[in-house]
């Protein structure tokens, strides 16, 4: 029996997978009017595995839809690491309670305000609440959890975002973390690198 | 047919008798003649052909072969290799499929079982060259201790090792001439291994640790360089500063290949002069790389060494077009050039004007995920290079827009392409002027470039492209396809034509089981087939596996795909049977 006959007998009718010419992974879903809770955001297949592939550039102006496809363009992992450090400053962004990391290019932003908007765009369940003039908080409106943006600087110390001039911040920031407000004290005590905190809710 | 050199072929002699059996005609040549002839045959493909002629030639060949090349480590086992070739001094082994490189699979290709066998049967092993394999510290320690004559270690795109493995090599390989680590994917290697070379060790000729990101002891490096008078290749990492580099160059003006460290440092006028003259004194310098963070302020330091350069690798430094454009005029003898696309079309025009001997150009994207077509290079730059550099035969070009007309002109200017790898980064991007598919572009490439061995296609492509490839690309050995084609017919055209095809890698194309199965006879003539995000199903793969027992058909499923979907398929010929070390996410059918 020829291979093609065999093939047909394996299939009763055509079981062809649906052909999509669209980009696998898809472009970023448009922000909906209804904001999802954080756990819903986690379930979204936002681009690929959580690790180094993810790159979301968010601007205060609506960005061109950047479809991020796994392993494309075919730049070797090693070359990619080289590229990442060229003309951009990518830092990992962690959020307390979330199982995956995101990445941001700090050089795209020119102020803390833009950075906060980036967080809002990246984690669509979070909103900026301007509580006092100088202090903006980030809140998950589905459950009221407050987050404070913190960063690890060149010396390995964890600092609150907003204390130093923007350029100095970009220069020294190694990675970002949105910590739950109630965890703040714990964080400030230990300037050693932070383990992913357990999901104790506050 | 291009036989796998390590397959124990059906021997042509008609008897299982010894070679002096009455049915076996005596050899037309005495053994000494055969051995003499063999000593001139170095290519493994030629040796393979030689070994197929007669049983005694097979034996003569296997006893005299000293260099082993295995393009796919799973195509054969260490045991089979050891049985056939008793006297190997040099081994080249390649592991993971190329498209897996872009997605970090923890897939296999561990060298350890090979080293265990080599330690047993090839105690006089001198060279080991690995590509895309996992090499643990344990393996490096075994290597260091098992081969007293060991000379050359080359690790290209390998992972799995750290400082302690390298330390073992440095400390124990007394006759080491070459330590060449390219594009290592190891994250946190500390730098103490370099200090482990014994104080009286002086045989090094090649040292490349450019891709290892760690501080090393400059003191130890300086002493090493001053001892090793035969050093001709030195590629340091970013931790080495400019003035440190100057001291190394003074110690080793005989260098032929240099990879600098960081090229950004505040220099006093005196330091500047010293570095300038150190470069000018390197009259044998032909290859230059590194140059991290170099800017137009510091590039002139190189001018004294540029005249003799044949290969300039600027893929570690994103030069702006203005900065870069002044450089090519100093490098009239350039044959190979790698740059980042921040040089833009203007930079490429400078190359076209100044480097008539150029044979190879690679343009890498500074920011591969940015889709804005105003960034980087366009068809204009490629055209400009093709106009000025008629000897161009190898191109790797990442861009965001291209036209059919440009490519047609480019290959008319440069019909000698052997490697044409065009990556239009936005998937499905049509000709940006006419909005048509890019079929005619690649049609022109295969029709005009008769020597074409390697082709990567991109942009919006229909089956027509593949009809062209199948029909015209008679010397094609490697084909990479992504986001292209309209139907199974496309893939079938390629499988039906292209008689020399060895490696076919396909992703995100509408090719399904019909196409996959159409090629079943072909895959045994090839090294491998990779298909990911296509329309192939597990059922289809299973049929292929059943029909072709000498192929391994491996499937990797993505986490959330439906049951029958074969998300990643890797098919390769083998005499080793299904592999034993497949991780749980790899299904061997």
């Amino acid at each position: 029996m020829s291979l093609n006959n065999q093939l047909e007998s394996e299939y009763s009718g055509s079981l062809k997978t649906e052909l999509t010419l669209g980009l696998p992974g898809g472009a970023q879903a448009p922000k909906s009017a209804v904001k999802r809770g954080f756990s819903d955001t986690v379930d979204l297949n936002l681009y690929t595995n959580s690790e180094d592939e993810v790159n979301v550039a968010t601007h205060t102006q609506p960005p061109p839809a950047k479809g991020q496809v796994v392993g494309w363009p075919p730049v070797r992992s090693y070359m990619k690491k080289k590229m990442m450090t060229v003309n951009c400053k990518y830092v990992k962004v962690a959020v307390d309670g979330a199982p995956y990391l995101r990445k941001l290019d700090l050089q795209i932003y020119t102020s803390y305000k833009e950075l906060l908007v980036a967080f809002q765009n990246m984690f669509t369940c979070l909103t900026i609440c301007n509580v006092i003039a100088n202090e903006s908080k980030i809140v998950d409106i589905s459950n009221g959890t407050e987050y404070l943006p913190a960063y690890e600087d060149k010396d390995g110390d964890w600092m609150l975002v907003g204390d130093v001039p923007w350029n100095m911040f970009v220069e020294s920031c190694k990675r970002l973390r949105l910590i739950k407000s109630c965890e703040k004290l714990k964080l400030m005590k230990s300037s050693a690198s932070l383990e992913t905190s357990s999901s104790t809710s506050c | 047919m291009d036989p796998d050199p390590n397959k124990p072929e059906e021997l042509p002699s008609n008897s299982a008798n010894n070679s002096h059996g009455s049915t076996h005609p005596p050899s037309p040549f005495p053994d000494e003649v055969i051995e003499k002839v063999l000593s001139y045959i170095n290519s493994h493909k030629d040796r393979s052909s030689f070994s197929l002629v007669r049983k005694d030639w097979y034996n003569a060949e296997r006893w005299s072969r000293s260099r082993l090349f295995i393009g796919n480590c799973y195509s054969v086992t260490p045991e089979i290799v050891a049985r056939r070739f008793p006297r190997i001094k040099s081994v080249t082994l390649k592991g993971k499929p190329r498209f897996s490189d872009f997605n970090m699979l923890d897939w296999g290709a561990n060298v350890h079982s090979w080293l265990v066998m080599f330690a047993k049967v090839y105690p006089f092993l001198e060279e080991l060259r690995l590509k895309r394999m996992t090499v643990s510290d344990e393996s490096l320690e075994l290597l260091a201790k098992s081969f007293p004559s060991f000379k050359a270690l080359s690790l290209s795109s390998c992972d799995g090792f750290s400082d302690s493995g390298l330390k073992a090599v440095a400390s124990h390989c007394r006759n080491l001439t070459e330590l060449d680590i390219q594009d290592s994917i190891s994250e946190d290697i500390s730098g103490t291994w370099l200090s482990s070379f014994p104080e009286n060790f002086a045989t090094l000729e090649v040292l490349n640790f450019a891709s290892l990101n760690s501080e090393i002891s400059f003191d130890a490096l300086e002493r090493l360089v001053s001892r090793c008078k035969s050093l001709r290749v030195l590629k340091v990492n970013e931790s080495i500063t400019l003035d440190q580099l100057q001291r190394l160059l003074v110690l080793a003006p005989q260098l032929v290949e240099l990879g600098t460290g960081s090229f950004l440092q505040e220099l006093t006028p005196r330091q500047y002069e010293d570095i300038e003259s150190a470069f000018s004194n390197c009259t044998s310098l032909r290859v230059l790389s590194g140059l991290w963070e170099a800017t137009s302020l510091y590039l002139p330091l190189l001018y004294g060494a540029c005249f003799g350069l044949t290969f300039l690798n600027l893929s570690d430094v994103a030069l702006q077009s203005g900065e870069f454009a002044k450089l090519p005029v100093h490098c009239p003898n350039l044959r190979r050039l790698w740059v980042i696309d921040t040089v833009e079309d203007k930079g490429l025009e400078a190359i076209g004007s100044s480097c008539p001997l150029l044979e190879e150009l690679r343009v890498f994207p500074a920011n591969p995920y940015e889709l804005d077509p105003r960034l980087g290079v366009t068809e204009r730059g490629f055209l400009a290079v093709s106009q000025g550099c008629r000897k161009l035969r190898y191109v790797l070009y990442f861009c965001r827009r291209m036209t059919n007309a440009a490519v047609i002109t480019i290959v008319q200017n440069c019909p000698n392409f052997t490697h044409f790898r065009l990556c239009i980064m936005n998937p499905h991007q049509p000709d940006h002027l006419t909005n048509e598919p890019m079929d005619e572009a690649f049609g022109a490439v295969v029709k005009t470039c008769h020597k074409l061995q390697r082709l990567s296609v991109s942009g919006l492509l229909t089956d027509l492209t593949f009809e062209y490839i199948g029909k015209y690309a008679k010397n094609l050995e490697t084909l990479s396809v992504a986001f292209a084609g309209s139907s199974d017919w496309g893939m079938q055209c390629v499988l039906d034509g292209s008689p020399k095809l060895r490696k076919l890698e396909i992703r995100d194309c509408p090719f399904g089981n019909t196409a996959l199965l159409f090629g079943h006879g072909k895959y045994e003539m090839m090294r491998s087939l990779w298909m990911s995000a296509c329309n192939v199903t597990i059922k289809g793969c299973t049929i292929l596996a059943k029909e072709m027992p000498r192929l391994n058909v491996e499937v990797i499923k993505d986490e959330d795909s439906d049951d029958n979907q074969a998300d990643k398929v890797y098919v390769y010929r083998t005499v080793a049977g299904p592999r034993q070390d497949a991780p749980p996410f790899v299904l061997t059918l």
Side-chain angles (χ1 to χ4, degrees):
Chain A
M1 196 190 314
S2 87
L3 282 176
N4 280 327
N5 287 348
Q6 257 188 303
L7 182 59
E8 300 220 341
S9 65
E10 295 283 347
Y11 290 82
S12 52
S14 81
L15 261 179
K16 297 207 170 98
T17 327
E18 202 154 76
L19 172 62
T20 60
L21 286 178
L23 300 174
Q28 187 172 17
K31 238 161 79 152
S32 59
V34 176
K35 299 221 178 169
R36 286 175 287 257
F38 201 93
S39 55
D40 289 348
T41 314
V42 167
D43 283 337
L44 276 182
N45 192 6
L46 285 175
Y47 305 129
T48 57
N49 34 14
S50 56
E51 268 287 57
D52 296 337
E53 298 299 330
V54 178
N55 161 26
V56 178
T58 56
H59 308 260
T60 46
Q61 292 78 40
K66 264 167 102 176
Q68 175 77 223
V69 181
V70 181
W72 184 263
V75 181
R76 267 180 300 154
S77 319
Y78 171 68
M79 292 298 276
K80 216 179 310 190
K81 277 208 298 184
K82 292 203 284 188
M83 300 311 166
M84 294 298 233
T85 59
V86 156
N87 276 349
C88 48
K89 181 165 176 161
Y90 279 103
V91 294
K92 289 186 181 172
V93 184
V95 178
D96 274 358
Y100 62 92
L101 302 177
R102 305 299 296 277
K103 261 189 181 170
L104 269 191
D105 178 2
L106 283 182
Q107 295 218 347
I108 291 175
Y109 313 106
T110 58
S111 69
Y112 286 115
K113 200 157 137 202
E114 285 182 16
L115 181 63
L116 290 185
V117 173
F119 288 143
Q120 187 176 258
N121 290 338
M122 189 182 268
F123 304 105
T124 53
C125 57
L126 304 176
T127 319
I128 306 169
C129 295
N130 288 315
V131 178
I132 312 168
N134 283 339
E135 208 175 290
S136 298
K137 283 207 171 91
I138 299 189
V139 179
D140 180 345
I141 55 165
S142 68
N143 58 26
T145 314
E146 276 182 17
Y147 293 88
L148 283 174
Y151 70 101
E152 185 181 13
D153 72 2
K154 275 188 184 156
D155 302 322
D157 295 323
W158 282 88
M159 322 273 282
L160 281 180
V161 164
D163 283 351
V164 301
W166 172 256
N167 287 327
M168 201 182 288
F169 162 72
V170 170
E171 178 51 37
S172 63
C173 172
K174 272 181 19 191
R175 54 186 165 135
L176 285 162
R177 187 176 194 93
L178 295 183
I179 54 173
K180 293 184 181 167
S181 276
C182 58
E183 299 280 326
K184 172 182 154 190
L185 278 176
K186 219 196 285 176
L187 168 61
M188 294 304 136
K189 273 190 188 145
S190 69
S191 59
S193 68
L194 196 66
E195 300 301 314
T196 310
S197 64
S198 59
S199 54
T200 45
S201 52
C202 319
Chain B
M1 169 165 167
D2 187 37
D4 180 329
N6 297 311
K7 265 169 90 157
E9 264 86 14
E10 294 299 311
L11 297 174
S13 82
N14 54 10
S15 63
N17 302 341
N18 61 45
S19 51
H20 301 296
S22 55
T23 51
H24 187 101
S27 170
F29 307 110
D31 287 346
E32 304 81 54
V33 172
I34 295 178
E35 278 159 24
K36 190 70 183 168
V37 169
L38 272 171
S39 70
Y40 293 116
I41 303 181
N42 293 315
S43 128
H44 62 275
K45 285 187 187 144
D46 290 340
R47 281 184 155 259
S48 239
S49 309
F50 188 97
S51 68
L52 287 176
V53 174
R54 298 165 51 99
K55 188 168 182 178
D56 50 351
W57 285 27
Y58 173 90
N59 280 322
E61 194 281 313
R62 76 184 189 95
W63 277 95
S64 65
R65 191 185 297 212
S66 66
R67 314 185 68 88
L68 199 58
F69 173 85
I70 301 172
N72 172 4
C73 63
Y74 288 117
S75 66
V76 70
T77 65
E79 290 75 25
I80 294 174
V81 166
R83 247 197 333 261
R84 179 171 172 184
F85 298 111
R87 290 202 199 145
I88 296 296
K89 290 217 174 124
S90 160
V91 176
T92 301
L93 254 182
K94 297 188 183 181
K96 298 172 216 192
R98 202 181 76 95
F99 263 6
S100 73
D101 227 10
F102 311 122
N103 199 15
M104 299 290 305
L105 296 177
D106 189 18
W107 175 84
N110 193 310
V111 77
H112 199 74
S113 57
W114 289 91
L115 282 174
V116 166
M117 179 57 72
F118 294 158
K120 243 177 28 195
V121 300
Y122 304 140
F124 302 115
L125 191 69
E126 293 179 3
E127 293 183 6
L128 185 64
R129 300 178 191 284
L130 304 176
K131 186 164 185 178
R132 282 194 285 271
M133 295 202 67
T134 297
V135 184
S136 67
D137 288 333
E138 201 196 333
S139 297
L140 289 178
E141 280 152 22
L142 178 62
L143 174 87
K145 301 200 175 131
S146 310
F147 308 110
S149 320
F150 195 77
K151 293 210 179 103
L153 178 63
S154 164
L155 303 175
S156 172
S157 300
C158 292
D159 65 304
F161 57 94
S162 75
D163 195 60
S164 70
L166 293 177
K167 247 193 207 170
V169 172
S171 336
H172 296 289
C173 297
R174 296 301 164 121
N175 297 308
L176 200 67
T177 58
E178 180 177 334
L179 181 58
D180 185 1
I181 303 170
Q182 297 167 43
D183 303 341
S184 143
I185 312 176
S186 296
E187 284 281 346
D188 301 307
I189 290 199
S190 88
T192 56
W193 60 273
L194 192 94
S195 312
S196 303
F197 284 108
E199 279 306 316
N200 60 355
F201 170 78
T203 49
L204 215 52
E205 296 170 26
V206 174
L207 179 61
N208 175 4
F209 61 95
S211 65
L212 299 180
N213 293 332
S214 54
E215 298 266 342
I216 47 112
S217 153
F218 176 71
D219 210 46
L221 178 61
E222 199 178 17
R223 289 201 307 274
L224 183 65
V225 170
S226 76
R227 290 199 301 274
C228 298
K229 303 295 183 202
S230 306
L231 195 66
R232 52 185 171 80
V233 176
L234 177 63
K235 298 182 185 175
V236 301
N237 69 11
E238 223 179 327
S239 72
I240 301 299
T241 65
L242 260 178
D243 66 272
Q244 287 175 333
L245 182 69
Q246 186 263 341
R247 285 157 65 176
L248 294 174
L249 290 181
V250 163
L251 290 170
Q254 75 280 5
L255 284 178
V256 175
E257 298 188 22
L258 172 68
T260 75
S262 165
F263 228 67
L264 184 64
Q265 184 181 354
E266 283 208 21
L267 297 172
T268 67
R270 180 62 201 269
Q271 280 174 315
Y272 195 97
E273 256 173 49
D274 285 345
I275 295 170
E276 215 176 14
S277 83
F279 270 108
S280 303
N281 283 338
C282 293
T283 51
S284 307
L285 207 59
R286 298 287 169 263
V287 175
L288 189 58
S289 59
L291 301 168
W292 279 283
E293 297 175 310
T295 64
S296 49
L297 207 56
Y298 297 99
L299 286 177
L301 285 169
L302 300 173
Y303 290 169
C306 283
F307 186 79
L309 282 187
T310 57
F311 179 17
L312 181 56
N313 177 355
L314 298 172
S315 65
D316 280 308
V317 51
L319 295 171
Q320 301 306 310
S321 69
E323 295 178 303
F324 170 76
K326 303 191 206 121
L327 191 50
V329 76
H330 295 271
C331 311
N333 289 305
L334 224 47
R335 306 283 198 279
R336 302 172 66 193
L337 177 64
W338 296 13
V339 292
I340 296 182
D341 67 357
T342 44
V343 304
E344 294 178 353
D345 290 334
K346 189 155 152 252
L348 297 182
E349 282 158 26
I351 297 169
S353 318
S354 312
C355 305
L357 301 178
L358 198 71
E359 295 172 17
E360 174 179 329
L361 175 69
R362 301 196 195 197
V363 182
F364 297 99
N367 201 336
Y369 305 120
E370 271 298 337
L371 300 184
D372 186 344
R374 292 166 298 173
L375 291 175
V377 296
T378 72
E379 72 277 7
R380 274 182 45 218
F382 198 171
L383 263 168
V385 176
S386 76
Q387 265 147 21
C389 311
R390 298 299 172 116
K391 298 190 172 189
L392 210 55
R393 51 155 207 92
Y394 191 122
V395 79
L396 169 62
Y397 200 80
F398 283 87
C399 59
R400 293 174 180 83
R401 54 176 239 201
M402 188 51 59
T403 66
N404 287 303
V407 176
I408 292 169
T409 307
I410 286 162
V411 295
Q412 273 165 6
N413 291 337
C414 305
N416 294 318
F417 275 113
T418 55
H419 296 68
F420 193 92
R421 304 167 63 188
L422 177 60
C423 182
I424 304 167
M425 289 188 275
N426 316 17
H428 308 304
Q429 173 103 334
D431 177 321
H432 85 92
L433 282 181
T434 65
N435 239 18
E436 281 171 2
M438 295 294 297
D439 295 332
E440 293 310 317
F442 293 103
V445 172
V446 294
K447 285 178 203 166
T448 318
C449 306
H450 302 128
K451 303 185 209 162
L452 195 69
Q453 288 168 29
R454 182 169 182 182
L455 179 65
S456 302
V457 300
S458 57
L460 180 67
L461 299 174
T462 70
D463 285 343
L464 185 56
T465 295
F466 303 105
E467 279 183 40
Y468 286 143
I469 294 174
K471 189 162 170 207
Y472 293 103
K474 291 309 176 192
N475 285 313
L476 192 65
E477 296 179 19
T478 304
L479 178 62
S480 305
V481 184
F483 303 104
S486 328
S487 72
D488 283 333
W489 170 247
M491 185 169 162
Q492 286 171 230
C493 288
V494 171
L495 292 170
D496 208 18
S498 303
K500 294 199 183 167
L501 197 64
R502 289 185 306 118
K503 290 182 281 182
L504 180 56
E505 44 184 31
I506 300 174
R507 61 165 291 170
D508 292 279
C509 296
F511 304 139
N513 293 328
T514 310
L516 175 72
L517 292 168
F518 181 85
H520 69 287
K522 180 111 173 171
Y523 305 136
E524 262 193 24
M525 319 259 271
M526 292 167 50
R527 184 185 297 175
S528 64
L529 165 74
W530 170 277
M531 284 179 82
S532 57
C534 296
N535 292 341
V536 174
T537 68
I538 303 230
K539 283 203 176 103
C541 295
T542 310
I543 295 174
L544 180 65
K546 219 162 70 173
E547 285 293 314
M548 309 298 302
R550 286 197 296 195
L551 295 179
N552 274 356
V553 180
E554 297 181 6
V555 172
I556 299 173
K557 287 187 60 51
D558 290 340
E559 269 165 23
D560 49 356
S561 76
D562 94 69
D563 277 345
N564 198 23
Q565 226 172 308
D567 303 295
K568 295 182 174 71
V569 181
Y570 184 45
V571 178
Y572 56 92
R573 67 178 176 189
T574 181
V575 293
R579 59 176 173 122
Q580 303 299 320
D581 64 350
F585 57 81
V586 174
L587 310 170
T588 309
L589 300 175

